[in-house]
Amino acid sequence: MKKPSPKVLTLTQSESLTPNMRRLTLQSDALKTFDPSSNGSYIKFLFNENGGTALNGLSEDNRPKMRTYTIRSLDVDHGTIEVDFVTHITEDQLCGFGSRWAMDAQVGDQISIVGPGAIQNVNTEKDWFFFNADMTSLPALSVKLAELPTDAKGYAIIQLIDAADQQTIAAPQGIDVIWTTEPVSKVAISQTWLSGEPYVWCACEFDEMKQLRQFFRNDKAIPKDDIYISSYWKKGVAEDGHKVIKKQDHDEFEG
């Protein structure tokens, strides 16, 4: 099967949401063909080996570097998407291709993407919900919370880089949204366990994911079908390396 051709998007707006998160609005008529329900789906931004967006001259032996982000919102009529980027710079003053591009990009700049791809849906028939996220997965979490039944109850724990990174997000009144700068796993384990069957959603840094997996899958014996758990990144590792580590870990845990 022929792979879909990349879509070229143009930056139309860039705004700072919080000290460590920036929202970019990108436009292309190709986005008008997206499924209107693509909010929360992932897309992959394409970069060359130097972190630039020019892809001419690349080949099968020198393929683009892909960086994965979430569609925060989609406007099919206007062919626009909003994508939120964590722009935190690490202690060694390095950041990933996506973050660096988001910080430097100017209106009119172009970038290529492939996708979208969907992540696992939340089972809204469950008695309650336990969401766990950091800033990299906050866009996806925001979409999931907005899709919950109005009478949903449970927790949404969000680990921030800085307390000033707290945002306004929509969630049912029964969902206790907890913003913290402590490790998300530490805060999750300290919450009172509710009665009934939960659906658990976790997306965060690799080591935090492993702590959450131990708690939910092993200690609380949450069935595999009732949990979505994924690492979105790993400290000190680029996305290409994280992808390899993530697969190895999955095979070892499930094997």
Side-chain angles (χ1 to χ4, degrees), residues 12-236:
T12 60
Q13 185 175 345
S14 176
E15 60 176 319
S16 176
L17 294 180
T18 68
N20 293 296
M21 184 164 277
R22 177 165 289 275
R23 175 168 294 168
L24 271 56
T25 304
L26 302 120
Q27 195 281 331
S28 171
D29 285 346
L31 298 175
K32 296 178 180 180
T33 66
F34 276 24
D35 188 317
S37 64
S38 293
N39 288 344
S41 299
Y42 67 86
I43 52 177
K44 293 181 180 290
F45 287 80
L46 307 184
F47 298 92
N48 59 39
E49 59 185 3
N50 299 315
T53 59
L55 303 180
N56 50 307
L58 295 181
S59 65
E60 282 296 318
D61 296 327
N62 184 22
R63 303 177 69 183
K65 306 294 184 182
M66 296 186 180
R67 297 297 181 262
T68 308
Y69 288 88
T70 300
I71 298 175
R72 182 63 179 83
S73 67
L74 166 68
D75 183 337
V76 172
D77 292 337
H78 294 91
T80 61
I81 54 173
E82 291 180 341
V83 181
D84 294 348
F85 293 77
V86 178
T87 55
H88 179 64
I89 298 177
T90 58
E91 293 179 359
D92 55 7
Q93 298 301 301
L94 296 175
C95 60
F97 287 169
S99 296
R100 186 164 61 244
W101 180 79
M103 288 189 289
D104 296 340
Q106 302 294 315
V107 171
D109 287 354
Q110 294 186 320
I111 191 166
S112 299
I113 68 162
V114 292
I119 62 174
Q120 181 177 322
N121 290 326
V122 171
N123 182 352
T124 57
E125 300 300 317
K126 288 297 178 178
D127 298 315
W128 60 285
F129 306 89
F130 206 140
F131 293 90
N132 305 269
D134 62 16
M135 290 182 63
T136 65
S137 57
L138 179 54
L141 171 66
S142 299
V143 174
K144 297 301 182 186
L145 291 177
E147 294 174 345
L148 289 177
T150 56
D151 61 350
K153 61 182 180 179
Y155 304 103
I157 300 170
I158 305 159
Q159 180 180 339
L160 302 175
I161 297 170
D162 186 282
D165 286 312
Q166 182 172 330
Q167 303 178 18
T168 299
I169 60 174
Q173 188 173 359
I175 298 293
D176 185 7
V177 180
I178 302 170
W179 303 89
T180 182
T181 55
E182 293 189 285
V184 62
S185 61
K186 177 182 177 181
V187 179
I189 292 169
S190 70
Q191 301 308 308
T192 301
W193 196 255
L194 305 182
S195 61
E197 295 184 353
Y199 185 88
V200 177
W201 191 95
C202 307
C204 55
E205 193 273 334
F206 179 81
D207 294 326
E208 283 299 298
M209 179 278 296
K210 292 182 70 174
Q211 293 291 329
L212 289 167
R213 186 176 63 194
Q214 170 65 36
F215 176 63
F216 289 115
R217 288 286 303 273
N218 295 352
D219 299 348
K220 290 298 184 180
I222 300 298
K224 184 178 179 180
D225 290 343
D226 294 338
I227 183 171
Y228 168 82
I229 186 161
S230 178
S231 62
Y232 275 25
W233 63 291
K234 179 171 173 55
K235 291 178 182 178

